[in-house]
Amino acid sequence: MKKKIALLMACAMTVASLAGCGGGSGSGTTNTTAAAGSETTAAANGETKAAAGGETSLVMYWWGNQVRNERTQAALDKYCELNPGISIDGQFAEWNDYWNKLATMAAGQAIPDVLQMDYMYVDQYAKSNLLVDLKPYIDNGTLDVSDISENTIASGTVDGGVYAIAAGINSPALLYNKTLLDANGITIKDNMTMDEFYALCKEIFEKTGVKTDIAYGIANSWSEYFMRSYDIVPFGDKCMNGTEADWIHFFEMYTKGLEEGWMLEPAVFAEITLGSVEQTPMVYNSTPATQSWCEFYNSNQLAAMQNAAPEGMEIGITTWPAPDPKKSGYLKSSQFFSVGVHTKNEEEAVKVLDFMINSSDANNILLGERGVPAPTDIAEEVAPQLSEIDQKVTAFINDVVTPNSSPINPPQPDGASEVYDLMNRTIEKVCYGQLDAAAAAAEFLAEANKIMAAK
């Protein structure tokens, strides 16, 4: 157990170079713009405390942007209003800080009662006995999953137990500067092949001087998406799948972009926060040489990207390109809700989770900010109340992605975050001209196999 927690802490220390759901092409989540000054105080005490007068006090912990923070706290306040005698301390952090602090809480046996969980970490936290198996509560009806698809439930399942329930459904999404492209008579098609994407990047560069950002520094989800076209799930049993020849395809896109001049130079990223919506080259930079026309993010981040964009810039949405778009495309849980194993009120924590997933009261406040609600009845109920942007995202999920997608890969195993960190460093070497695609594939695969073999 101590070894597993130490590994979780080590993984958390490398996450600064990654993005999950919260930023970039990671598990698809948005970075927060603010953090509470006492964001982990109660959770760090390792107690689910009893408030004055015998009131039961729980802690819920999440990462997210300011909109998420405000809506989530309002939903929790509603739960407390409907359930006298319960109080819930909502706490939040930035994506990188979240995982560092959660690993520290795990080491101190102080995992919060209810917490947000990411696809990249479900397997590790569940196998470290840090999350409550929710299956008994599903079986006895405390947690209702009757309107959630089996595939969605399976995404939070580890070794037969259900340790996480989808907080929302989203998909990888290429967000782009629609205003720029419209002004230059350039149209975007959904489900582009890589050849079509390369031709588009070249056309945009030739007409506007604006370059392309291909998930620089946050290539975790993007690499899995790309390799699915070759029928390769990157992680095997204590090893990496695929040969050097297979992985050359992935690194070649970077050498191609640099050789043809349409990809951003790596120096552009030296002084920005990778994975931050507000600091993506598309919305943060204004000169053609430092600006990108697109970003590899997730569908539920369209609103945050539009909010971050300069006045007058409309952000469009399409699918990520791939050698075989239908093989690569998938729907995913944008993030999960889980119950921490250290809770003193397990059943009440499960009831809070059920409320956040299934309650009209909660979801009429949350309004799909974490993605399209997982229960189909709630998704239908909420849809008419959504903003124009969120309705666009829902239509994108239903009409574009769902008919052209395949089942998502299994959760990443222990060691995945270290492999992703290695991948981003290898891409950096390619972009600085230190490695060609063949050398990068060989170096990456050799080192990644060493990492996985040690787990």
Side-chain angles (χ1 to χ4, degrees), residues 20-41:
C21 276
S25 58
S27 15
T29 74
T30 329
N31 283 23
T32 184
T33 56
S38 59
E39 60 197 11
T40 59
T41 303

Side-chain angles (χ1 to χ4, degrees), residues 48 56-60 86-89 113 343 345 348-349 352:
T48 300
T56 298
S57 180
L58 305 175
V59 173
M60 180 170 174
I86 304 295
S87 67
I88 304 173
D89 181 10
D113 303 276
T343 181
N345 289 279
E348 193 64 46
V352 173

Side-chain angles (χ1 to χ4, degrees), residues 59-72:
V59 173
M60 180 170 174
Y61 188 38
W62 68 88
W63 72 85
N65 57 36
Q66 191 60 32
V67 172
R68 178 178 301 165
N69 299 338
E70 293 171 356
R71 291 185 188 179
T72 303

Side-chain angles (χ1 to χ4, degrees), residues 86-123:
I86 304 295
S87 67
I88 304 173
D89 181 10
Q91 302 173 0
F92 53 92
E94 293 184 355
W95 165 262
N96 294 337
D97 289 342
Y98 182 90
W99 296 105
N100 291 333
K101 291 173 181 176
L102 192 61
T104 301
M105 292 175 193
Q109 298 188 9
I111 293 286
D113 303 276
V114 184
L115 64 151
Q116 209 163 271
M117 182 51 56
D118 186 77
Y119 198 65
M120 184 164 61
Y121 291 104
V122 169
D123 187 80

